[in-house]
Amino acid sequence: MSDKYIRASSTPSSTLQLPKQGGQEGRRKRTGLFRSLFTTLVPSQTEGKRSLWPMVIAIAAWIGLAYAGYAFAVHTLDKQQEYVNQRFQQVQEENQKQMGALTDQLALVQDEMKTVQDGLSNLEENLQLTGETIGGTNKTKEALQDRIDQLNKQLVELKASLKKLEDAARAW
């Protein structure tokens, strides 16, 4: 029955002794990742022959990861290119709509300018036919001046609109 018990030795001091040489006695030395890969790929002459399967599996895994990364990058780039093309088409369609609207607006502005020119030419003809000058009565003078001011404002607005339309047409 005495062989079932293990004797423990006790130390006379209450503190534990420190391991010798800074605790490195029982540890094995660790090498870095690349050193261990190199050791795996190129075994030393003292280790003897190793199986090639771990190296083949490691190479196959690296090739598989490289291919998966490449496939993922190609897939991602294709999706981005598709999105860019789709967005480009949308912008082109919007530009077409805006150009149609600007063309219609330009036609309206040209019609209004023609109307203004016709009104001015009619006014000029009426003045020449009646033989009156602008220096006539104050009431006539004020009415003519108001009409001329209105037509001038309208002409300035039409010129500004025409310039915007021409700039938009040049940009297209």
Side-chain angles (χ1 to χ4, degrees), residues 6 19 30 38 43 48 86 96 108 110 125 130 134 137 155 168:
I6 299 175
R30 293 186 182 187
F38 180 73
Q86 181 183 14
Q96 289 289 345
L108 290 173
Q110 287 176 341
E125 286 177 16
T130 58
I134 295 182
T137 63
L155 183 60

Side-chain angles (χ1 to χ4, degrees), residues 13-170:
S13 75
S14 62
T15 61
L16 296 174
Q17 293 180 354
L18 293 175
K20 295 178 183 175
Q21 296 179 358
Q24 299 295 326
E25 216 172 54
R27 290 184 149 178
R28 92 183 155 153
K29 187 176 179 183
R30 293 186 182 187
T31 59
L33 173 68
F34 294 111
R35 181 74 177 156
S36 63
L37 284 174
F38 180 73
T39 305
T40 303
L41 294 176
V42 182
S44 68
Q45 295 173 352
T46 60
E47 292 181 6
K49 293 269 184 171
R50 287 189 180 180
S51 175
L52 289 178
W53 285 110
M55 185 171 46
V56 169
I57 291 171
I59 291 172
W62 278 105
I63 290 172
L65 287 172
Y67 179 75
Y70 175 76
F72 178 73
V74 167
H75 174 72
T76 303
L77 289 174
D78 286 344
K79 287 290 185 180
Q80 288 177 348
Q81 185 66 37
E82 182 181 317
Y83 174 75
V84 167
N85 288 339
Q86 181 183 14
R87 193 69 185 116
F88 184 71
Q89 288 293 336
Q90 289 174 350
V91 169
Q92 278 186 334
E93 289 172 6
E94 286 179 26
N95 284 345
Q96 289 289 345
K97 290 177 185 176
Q98 288 178 353
M99 282 304 297
L102 288 176
T103 304
D104 294 341
Q105 191 177 8
L106 180 61
L108 290 173
V109 167
Q110 287 176 341
D111 290 343
E112 288 179 13
M113 285 184 67
K114 185 170 171 74
T115 304
V116 168
Q117 284 177 342
D118 290 343
L120 285 175
S121 63
N122 285 341
L123 183 62
E124 214 175 310
E125 286 177 16
N126 287 340
L127 285 175
Q128 287 177 356
L129 288 175
T130 58
E132 291 184 13
T133 62
I134 295 182
T137 63
N138 284 342
K139 191 174 187 182
T140 306
K141 184 178 178 182
E142 289 174 6
L144 285 175
Q145 189 62 38
D146 289 340
R147 180 66 178 153
I148 289 172
D149 289 341
Q150 288 174 353
L151 291 174
N152 282 338
K153 286 180 186 176
Q154 203 173 20
L155 183 60
V156 167
E157 291 173 3
L158 291 174
K159 283 182 180 180
S161 296
L162 182 61
K163 181 161 177 56
K164 286 180 185 177
L165 290 173
E166 286 175 351
D167 290 342
R170 285 186 193 128

